[in-house]
């Protein structure tokens, strides 16, 4: 009986210290910058740009006044404010749509 109690306590301790309960980072919500050259399309942000549409798991080059940032949209948020991912960017919404690329 004592062994079962010890095993149960060890299992509970392992479960509670699991990374699944770790706090989410900023990248978990909005995605992350990746190496240049890994994107297949470039979105040029101009003064006339009202919104940006991308697919979840898409990697794009965002060209803002000649400054290009390559971003992988793999986060949890479906609507992202561009300044949340690129400092000094205009206040434009990025809409992250579900993708059919993986047969879902």
């Amino acid at each position: 009986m004592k062994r079962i109690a010890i095993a149960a306590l060890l299992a509970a301790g392992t479960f509670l210290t699991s990374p699944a309960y770790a706090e989410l980072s900023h990248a978990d919500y909005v995605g992350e910058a990746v190496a240049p050259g890994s994107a297949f399309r470039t979105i040029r942000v101009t003064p006339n740009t009202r919104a940006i549409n991308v697919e979840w798991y898409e990697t794009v080059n965002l060209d803002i006044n000649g400054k290009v940032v390559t971003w992988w949209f793999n986060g949890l948020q479906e609507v992202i404010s561009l300044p949340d991912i690129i400092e000094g960017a205009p206040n434009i919404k990025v809409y992250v749509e579900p993708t059919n690329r993986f047969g879902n």
Side-chain angles (χ1 to χ4, degrees), residues 33-86:
V34 294
S38 58
F40 289 106
R41 75 175 173 130
T42 298
I43 299 171
R44 286 182 178 73
V45 178
T46 68
N48 294 329
T49 304
R50 300 276 184 227
I52 297 171
N53 293 305
V54 297
E55 287 186 348
W56 187 60
Y57 265 91
E58 183 177 12
T59 302
V60 298
N61 293 318
L62 297 166
D63 182 349
I64 304 167
N65 299 324
K67 178 184 176 188
V68 179
V69 175
T70 305
W71 199 264
W72 184 30
F73 290 93
N74 65 336
L76 298 173
Q77 284 184 222
E78 294 176 356
V79 180
I80 303 166
S81 182
L82 196 55
D84 286 345
I85 60 176
I86 301 170

Side-chain angles (χ1 to χ4, degrees), residues 8-52:
L9 286 173
L10 287 173
T14 302
F15 181 72
L16 292 175
T17 60
S18 165
Y21 290 98
E23 192 170 315
L24 296 175
S25 70
H26 182 69
D28 292 327
Y29 289 106
V30 298
E32 57 194 311
V34 294
S38 58
F40 289 106
R41 75 175 173 130
T42 298
I43 299 171
R44 286 182 178 73
V45 178
T46 68
N48 294 329
T49 304
R50 300 276 184 227
I52 297 171

Side-chain angles (χ1 to χ4, degrees), residues 81-104:
S81 182
L82 196 55
D84 286 345
I85 60 176
I86 301 170
E87 188 175 325
N91 192 17
I92 296 171
K93 298 292 183 197
V94 180
Y95 295 93
V96 185
E97 301 289 329
T99 183
N100 291 329
R101 292 182 191 191
F102 306 112
N104 295 337

